[in-house]
Amino acid sequence: MSPLIFAYLALASALASGVLALGADRYPGLLRYGSSILLGIGGVFAVFAGAWALIDEAPTTDLLALGLPWLKWHLRLDPLSGFFFAVVGLLVFAISLFAPGYLREYIHPKNRQALSALGLFTGLFVLGMLLVLLADDAYVFMISWELMSVSSYFLVAYQHQHAANRRAAFLYLLMAHIGGLAILLGFGVLAGFGDGFTFDAMRAAELSATWASIAFALVFFGFGMKAGMVPLHAWLPEAHPVAPSHISALMSGVMLKVAIYGLIRVTYDLIGDIQWQWGLVLLIIGSTSTLLGVLYAMLRNNLKRLLAYSSIENIGIILSGLGLSMIFIGTGHKILGVIGLIAALYHILSHALFKGLLFLGAGAIAHATHEYDLNNMGGLIRRMPQTAVFFLVGCLSISGIPLLNGFISEWLTFQTALQAPVLESGVLRSIIPVAAAVLALSAALAAACFVKVYGVAFLGQARSRHAARAREVDVGMRAAMGLLAVLCVLFGIFPSTVISIIDAIPNMLLGAGPPSATARGWLWLTPISPRVASFSAPLVLAGILIFALIAWLLLRKRTVDIRRGPAWDCGFGSLNSRMQYTGTAFSMPIQRIFAPVWDLKEEIEETKNAAQPLHTEGMRHQMQALDRSWSRVYEPIGHLVLVAARRIGMIQTGSIHTYLAYSFFTLILLLWVVT
């Protein structure tokens, strides 16, 4: 028995989930329960298959006669694909718990949608992601990649009655296919030198430094576009917010990581001879994505759009870790490169968990309040207490607070960057500390961003009628969020155990593991050595609990006469929701400091009293923070495409004689080329 058996069962369950959902329009329960149960079973099988591949470490391969007669499907499950298989499975299982309660809204007669389409394409989406991870040749990889992209396009366009959804879906599909073309060309370079489309043939290819760099540039462009790195991120904040929330969790939590998997697979495994220049490119683009992603998120008040921009920041952190890894490997410091790779892999796992949790939390809030705008929420901690606790765990984790998984991966990235003095290049020794400083600044801004999110959404008074009438979501939705919240805590407290399993990946790719990450046992994480840096989350947790217990024992014996009264209102009367900070007001200082980052359009309308011109009766403030990539990158490209299209359109004369002449001269040219 091999882990591929469980992988096949996961594929079959995902496909069966989609097929069963075809009857959901007539019998909605098929989607809410039957299809979701099959999806959850597929997630469990995927976790088993991935965990087995990581623990066993030996690659398992298979050959299926499913393709063309002369081009069979090559499949492989090894520690790298097993790790991503397990990550996908965890989140798929979580959304299978969340979906039945969340989809109740889509069954309501006022919001009735084509449930069969949602269930079918969800199953195909999961199937496509898992097949990408199993592919062991370019043919299967590209078919699976397109299945993943096209099925997710239909999920983004699910509520196609809205023009914004159709626009977001078209932009997503367009950029996905441009990226797919670049990936195909990258595989073409490797296949040309390797004399075959199988990954084994590509591994055996002997590439010069120039051709290896060309192949890397192509796949980095293609996978980077799918991952949402700056400046190729334009589709992400448009597509993720308009999809159903559990689909947004899958897209942001694991689909972006499948793109990172492709980058790691091609660069570390198929090309193999890593050059430090590639790492420098990844580090610069990763640092830029990290800072701009969190700054774009800071000014958003739509919760799902804010979370989508935050995903760009976290993709930047992953790319920074990979960039540091490539720099150290390319300069001959393989062990330090292993630490950078481990940091990136840990953040891949961490981001899948806390971003999945936050998107499910956003879905729970929308389900209870029908609101996505932070400025229409408020006071939800009293109406949705369990959701508030789970969402708080996600906010703390994404902010990099110790004892949660987000801190571990960012701390490992910092520890890798701090080893820059061993490099001989003065340029690299100067750039890496700057990148580390950008990462530190981004972490602080991320903390501020999610203080804003949690404070405006859950604290204070309700800012709208919908928020005031909110009720806690059902048990399945809370179970899904609770599962991810618990995993965020466990992976933050026991990182050494997780890393001892993950280190099978650098052992396979680089022939080396982390030097001493678990040298002092499961209590301590020591990425470089115990003398350089170490961290013990279990001991920190034990210290906090002991301090809390002592404080409780001391305080409970005291009898204090507490006088309760209304909060000080500055003489303005009773407090109301209009006196609270809004999301816009909270982020205003950061907006002023980093104003050049955005294209800001701000309008202030003041209404005067006709009888007393100096007296202001009311004011209206409106502000838009536009992404500069549209005006600096995409609009000029679109303009050039339109100009070129008009020029090419001049050959359409409408005359049959002209078209016959085109055909005649084309035929002459082809005959000349052939001879």
Side-chain angles (χ1 to χ4, degrees), residues 116-296:
S116 58
L118 178 60
L120 173 63
F121 290 115
T122 300
L124 292 178
F125 180 40
V126 174
L127 176 66
M129 287 191 291
L130 295 178
L131 272 175
V132 167
L133 302 176
L134 287 180
D136 198 31
D137 63 58
Y139 175 70
V140 178
F141 190 99
M142 293 309 301
I143 287 178
S144 307
W145 187 266
E146 288 302 308
L147 176 62
M148 177 183 72
S149 299
V150 173
S151 57
S152 54
Y153 158 78
F154 285 106
L155 293 172
V156 172
Y158 177 58
Q159 294 176 299
H160 54 82
Q161 65 270 25
H162 304 299
N165 295 33
R166 296 195 298 271
R167 175 181 178 274
F170 172 76
L171 178 63
Y172 167 60
L173 189 65
L174 174 65
M175 297 189 71
H177 279 82
I178 293 173
L181 179 60
I183 296 168
L184 185 61
L185 292 174
F187 280 138
V189 172
L190 296 175
F193 285 92
D195 196 26
F197 288 98
T198 66
F199 286 174
D200 282 335
M202 294 180 186
R203 290 185 188 98
E206 296 183 3
L207 280 73
S208 65
T210 301
W211 279 109
S213 297
I214 291 172
F216 169 78
L218 288 168
V219 296
F220 178 54
F221 177 84
F223 290 125
M225 179 172 286
K226 191 72 167 183
M229 70 180 187
V230 172
L232 307 177
H233 66 283
W235 65 271
L236 196 154
E238 301 295 325
H240 286 200
V242 301
S245 291
H246 63 302
I247 302 301
S248 299
L250 278 179
M251 293 181 70
S252 187
V254 289
M255 186 190 75
L256 303 184
K257 312 309 180 306
V258 171
I260 298 296
Y261 161 80
L263 179 63
I264 295 174
R265 172 67 73 186
V266 175
T267 307
Y268 284 79
D269 188 20
L270 303 188
I271 299 177
D273 186 15
I274 295 174
Q275 301 178 29
W276 66 265
Q277 295 90 340
W278 306 349
L280 182 60
V281 173
L282 258 70
L283 182 62
I284 293 173
I285 292 181
S287 300
T288 305
S289 300
T290 301
L291 182 58
L292 293 182
V294 71
L295 286 174
Y296 291 150

Side-chain angles (χ1 to χ4, degrees), residues 582-642:
T582 63
T584 304
F586 188 94
S587 58
M588 187 62 67
I590 294 176
Q591 173 201 319
R592 299 300 186 196
I593 295 170
F594 294 96
V597 173
W598 307 278
D599 281 332
L600 294 175
K601 295 184 178 180
E602 191 171 10
E603 296 180 4
I604 299 177
E605 293 184 6
E606 189 175 358
T607 305
K608 297 289 187 179
N609 189 315
Q612 299 177 335
L614 297 180
H615 178 66
T616 300
E617 289 190 340
M619 296 185 69
R620 189 178 71 88
H621 174 263
Q622 184 177 6
M623 188 194 68
Q624 285 183 303
L626 304 178
D627 193 334
R628 282 191 181 274
S629 62
W630 281 106
S631 58
R632 301 296 176 86
V633 179
Y634 295 99
E635 289 180 2
I637 292 176
H639 177 71
L640 289 175
V641 170
L642 290 176

Side-chain angles (χ1 to χ4, degrees), residues 185-466:
L185 292 174
F187 280 138
V189 172
L190 296 175
F193 285 92
D195 196 26
F197 288 98
T198 66
F199 286 174
D200 282 335
M202 294 180 186
R203 290 185 188 98
E206 296 183 3
L207 280 73
S208 65
T210 301
W211 279 109
S213 297
I214 291 172
F216 169 78
L218 288 168
V219 296
F220 178 54
F221 177 84
F223 290 125
M225 179 172 286
K226 191 72 167 183
M229 70 180 187
V230 172
L232 307 177
H233 66 283
W235 65 271
L236 196 154
E238 301 295 325
H240 286 200
V242 301
S245 291
H246 63 302
I247 302 301
S248 299
L250 278 179
M251 293 181 70
S252 187
V254 289
M255 186 190 75
L256 303 184
K257 312 309 180 306
V258 171
I260 298 296
Y261 161 80
L263 179 63
I264 295 174
R265 172 67 73 186
V266 175
T267 307
Y268 284 79
D269 188 20
L270 303 188
I271 299 177
D273 186 15
I274 295 174
Q275 301 178 29
W276 66 265
Q277 295 90 340
W278 306 349
L280 182 60
V281 173
L282 258 70
L283 182 62
I284 293 173
I285 292 181
S287 300
T288 305
S289 300
T290 301
L291 182 58
L292 293 182
V294 71
L295 286 174
Y296 291 150
M298 191 70 199
L299 263 63
R300 306 299 164 186
N301 290 321
N302 180 291
L303 182 54
K304 289 183 70 176
R305 188 175 293 272
L306 182 151
L307 294 176
Y309 271 115
S310 174
S311 292
I312 299 171
E313 176 218 352
N314 286 275
I315 288 297
I317 295 174
I318 295 169
L319 291 178
S320 296
L322 291 176
L324 290 169
S325 172
M326 292 182 189
I327 288 174
F328 284 115
I329 293 171
T331 53
H333 301 85
K334 183 183 291 187
I335 297 300
L336 297 179
V338 167
I339 300 171
L341 179 59
I342 290 288
L345 292 171
Y346 211 102
H347 201 75
I348 287 168
L349 172 62
S350 298
H351 183 249
L353 295 176
F354 61 63
K355 188 51 64 71
L357 169 58
L358 291 171
F359 265 113
L360 294 186
I365 293 171
H367 184 80
T369 66
H370 305 283
E371 293 285 355
Y372 285 113
D373 191 335
L374 290 173
N375 293 329
N376 292 330
M377 299 178 190
L380 295 179
I381 194 171
R382 291 186 292 275
R383 296 165 181 83
M384 305 173 69
Q386 294 182 41
T387 299
V389 171
F390 300 143
F391 200 88
L392 178 61
V393 172
C395 290
L396 294 175
S397 183
I398 199 172
S399 301
I401 302 301
L403 300 185
L404 291 162
N405 56 350
F407 168 79
I408 299 299
S409 50
E410 293 188 22
W411 185 74
L412 287 171
T413 306
F414 278 119
Q415 291 302 317
T416 309
L418 290 175
Q419 309 313 309
V422 305
L423 298 172
E424 296 179 0
S425 170
V427 175
L428 292 178
R429 290 201 307 268
S430 302
I431 291 177
I432 290 177
V434 173
V438 170
L439 179 59
L441 174 61
S442 301
L445 290 172
C449 179
F450 283 92
V451 166
K452 159 191 162 177
V453 170
Y454 197 83
V456 174
F458 286 94
L459 305 182
Q461 299 184 21
R463 303 165 190 267
S464 67
R465 180 170 51 87
H466 287 154

Side-chain angles (χ1 to χ4, degrees), residues 476-500:
M477 299 170 73
R478 283 176 282 158
M481 293 184 287
L483 171 64
L484 295 177
V486 168
L487 291 176
C488 286
V489 174
L490 289 178
F491 290 161
I493 295 176
F494 304 106
S496 299
T497 304
V498 179
I499 290 175
S500 66

